[in-house]
Amino acid sequence: MVAIVPAAGSGERLGAGRPKALVTVAGDPMVVRAVAGLVSAGVDDVVVVAPADHLDEMRSVLPAPARTVAGGADRVASVALGLAAIGDADVVLVHDAARCLCPADVTRAVVAAVRDGHGAVVPALPVADTVRRVDPAGRLVGPVDRTGLLAVQTPQGFAPDVLRRAHEAAAGSPTASRATDDAGLVEALGGEVVTVPGDPRAFKITTPLDLAMAEALLTAGDVSDGPPLAPDVRERSSPHGAEVRR
Ligand code: CTP
Ligand code: MG
């Protein structure tokens, strides 16, 4: 089982002045935490896609089995460069370095669904916020039915040929190059994408607030394998209100 870890972004919204994947969370770079999470879920080959001008730094922080290749101008290009570097595998995962607190159970569920015969699998959670669509001038143009919406996370899992075909089709397409995940490229080809339950801890560190939340979760010790923090699961797992920990 192989994982591609896109980590070549600049982290504009975090504003740390360096590539986001190298920013530390409770002492360890995000990319190191993301790779460790994948390895703990049984991934034995990891290709990290790094900013071309930070290859050496990325290599110096990443232990085996991670290998490092240079990334591209957008996420789709970076994943395609990672895909070109992988060998044979029954499952290919694509996992954002920025979702570095994702519990191993989520990864295992994605892998199991691919091994069950699904060509494309994403972890997803219900959307908690009220969502509205706006026109180009920023005016609200109507409600969106939240019951039909899911927030999609990573790792996303694929049969290798499904992911390769999706990226071949995306290459050179201006619309596809703006895609923020890989399952979307499969869907664009008419491919089926199935979901498994995501986890709040698989959130993407995007802004300084996200980074502070990640630090707080690590300090609280609430980030490794175990039940998700979602209230319904907490109630089921912990009927007497005891703390839910690994
Ligand atoms: N990514 C990548 N190559 C790019 C752009 C993004 O590998 N050219 C990766 C990021 O490193 C990150 C993941 O894709 O792990 C999700 O992207 P995002 O959260 O948008 O990260 P950044 O692009 O770094 O952040 P920003 O958009 O705020 O600049
Ligand atoms: Mg980005």
Side-chain angles (χ1 to χ4, degrees), residues 219-230:
T219 307
D222 245 344
V223 289
S224 43
D225 272 350
L229 302 178

Side-chain angles (χ1 to χ4, degrees), residues 30-95:
M30 281 182 215
V31 66
V32 170
R33 290 189 175 277
V35 170
L38 291 166
V39 169
S40 73
V43 176
D44 47 22
D45 186 14
V46 183
V47 173
V48 172
V49 190
D53 53 354
H54 285 77
L55 267 181
D56 288 343
E57 190 178 352
M58 202 68 96
R59 284 186 180 132
S60 73
V61 298
L62 281 167
R67 301 180 279 131
T68 308
V69 300
D74 52 53
R75 188 184 180 283
V76 173
S78 291
V79 173
L81 288 160
L83 197 50
I86 66 166
D88 284 344
D90 62 336
V91 179
V92 185
L93 299 170
V94 184
H95 185 39

Side-chain angles (χ1 to χ4, degrees), residues 6-13 20 49 72-75 78 96-98 204:
S10 56
E12 290 294 315
R13 290 168 288 177
K20 185 164 71 177
V49 190
D74 52 53
R75 188 184 180 283
S78 291
D96 292 333
K204 184 160 70 70

